[in-house]
Amino acid sequence: ASTTTIAPTTRMFFITGTTAIATITPPVTGHHELVLIATNASPGALLTTGNILVGTTTVTQNVPILLEYDPTQAKYYLK
């Protein structure tokens, strides 16, 4: 689902809906990479009001978004 906070359970995670995402609950501790794939034709943006350091309004259906997590900063970096 696509909400203000998402909690991926696997490295590749499908997001649905049109609500913008501000916070990602890390699925593991330490440095890791996530691949988000929007399944909606009009997906929501990635916002910087939570733990995403650099957001984007350009989220495209079925196009992977790669994010790197830095546990020191507790932030996701868009690749």
Side-chain angles (χ1 to χ4, degrees), residues 28-39:
V28 297
T29 58
H31 172 265
H32 60 275
E33 179 180 79
L34 289 179
V35 179
L36 302 180
I37 301 174
T39 61

Side-chain angles (χ1 to χ4, degrees), residues 60-72:
T60 306
Q61 182 181 26
N62 299 321
V63 175
I65 299 166
L66 301 176
L67 297 162
E68 294 285 333
Y69 183 72
D70 175 14
T72 304

Side-chain angles (χ1 to χ4, degrees), residues 1-3 15-21 40-45:
S2 181
T3 60
I15 51 177
T16 61
T18 59
T19 303
I21 298 168
N40 190 288
S42 299

